Amino acid sequence: EPVPLVEIVSSLPDKVNPNDAIQLFASATSANGGRGAFDFVWSVNDATIDLTSRDVTTTTSTNRYLGLRGGSLVPGATYTFTLSATDRNAKTTSSADLTIVCNRPPFGGVLVVDPPSGEAFTTLFTFEAKGWTDDDPDDF
């Protein structure tokens, strides 16, 4: 039996800032091409992300929209969100996945201050950042 066409619509960049809010939208078309009536369920491949928690989402996990609060995702982590849509009339279900990669801050470096102590507005300080690595050179 034909299944509905399900898509997750988003305008997210290749890497997201995990401190930013994220909005995902479900698009579903019944197998016969109509809009139909659908039941939606969102899930994620990480058990530490509770999509039923108001601390994590601004919507419910059974809504057409999924809103994630800023700070809900972990820097450097990759998540796969799955949307399942069931056509209430045809009783058929289909799903779609979207992978979200979270940026992480630069790492591995040090900040050197010379001299190590002095007097504010009197001592000329030199600051040098050494050895920092960033996974995403576009962040520079």
Side-chain angles (χ1 to χ4, degrees):
E1 186 166 326
V3 295
L5 173 63
V6 178
E7 293 179 87
I8 299 174
V9 180
S10 109
S11 59
L12 295 175
D14 291 341
K15 282 189 179 179
V16 300
N17 179 344
N19 292 322
D20 290 346
I22 294 173
Q23 302 293 322
L24 303 177
F25 174 72
S27 172
T29 306
S30 65
N32 66 10
R35 294 288 296 155
F38 292 92
D39 291 319
F40 298 102
V41 177
W42 291 92
S43 60
V44 63
N45 67 331
D46 186 323
T48 65
I49 306 295
D50 181 1
L51 297 181
T52 64
S53 169
R54 287 298 197 186
D55 293 334
V56 174
T57 65
T58 58
T59 58
T60 67
S61 62
T62 57
N63 195 313
R64 176 180 290 272
Y65 300 92
L66 180 64
L68 297 171
R69 294 185 188 280
S72 298
L73 304 180
V74 175
T78 298
Y79 301 93
T80 300
F81 287 85
T82 300
L83 168 69
S84 294
T86 301
D87 186 326
R88 291 182 200 150
N89 298 324
K91 305 288 189 233
T92 55
T93 301
S94 187
S95 63
D97 294 328
L98 176 72
T99 298
I100 295 178
V101 178
C102 295
N103 196 12
R104 66 177 174 166
F107 57 94
V110 295
L111 178 65
V112 178
V113 180
D114 188 46
S117 63
E119 190 124 346
F121 302 108
T122 305
T123 306
L124 180 61
F125 291 98
T126 303
F127 296 84
E128 187 178 6
K130 295 180 177 183
W132 291 95
T133 302
D134 192 325
D135 296 333
D136 191 353
D138 293 337
D139 288 346
F140 290 117

